[in-house]
Amino acid sequence: MWPIDEVVGPRRLLVQANDGHRLADALYELVSQSDLRKRFGQQGLERVRRLFTHETIGAQIASAYAEVLARAAAPMPASAHSLIESAKAQQPAVSI
């Protein structure tokens, strides 16, 4: 299993899907080790405060919109035009 560091961060207890025994072991580890729970909790909170500020998320959203708008402004390839026209021709007429 290869975790996505951007999602889970560097501190983690990972369990393979459908492995109930390993999940129980990991939960027991957290329940029985208060220092581990506190450390994971503190590190998680610090990570969230660092990576998910209003400024950071706002910049990521603005970047995504800029990318979409840049693509929308680019000319559509001829092959895309023919696909659109083909799809329109195959749609049944709607009568009310």
Side-chain angles (χ1 to χ4, degrees):
M1 176 187 309
W2 300 102
I4 301 170
D5 284 339
E6 292 81 12
V7 176
V8 296
R11 306 285 185 244
R12 57 195 168 243
L13 289 175
L14 295 176
V15 177
Q16 187 71 30
N18 300 315
D19 188 345
H21 293 291
R22 179 62 189 115
L23 177 60
D25 291 344
L27 290 172
Y28 180 78
E29 188 175 351
L30 283 174
V31 167
S32 64
Q33 297 183 35
S34 64
D35 61 327
L36 182 64
R37 277 194 318 273
K38 288 176 187 175
R39 190 170 68 244
F40 274 20
Q42 185 61 38
Q43 290 169 342
L45 182 59
E46 290 169 3
R47 185 172 181 274
V48 166
R49 287 182 174 158
R50 185 181 73 253
L51 296 177
F52 302 102
T53 65
H54 291 0
E55 293 81 9
T56 302
I57 299 301
Q60 290 173 351
I61 292 171
S63 175
Y65 274 110
E67 184 179 331
V68 168
L69 290 172
R71 279 194 230 151
M76 191 181 310
S79 59
H81 282 292
S82 64
L83 284 173
I84 291 170
E85 293 305 316
S86 174
K88 285 181 183 177
Q90 294 176 11
Q91 288 181 343
V94 177
S95 59
I96 299 176

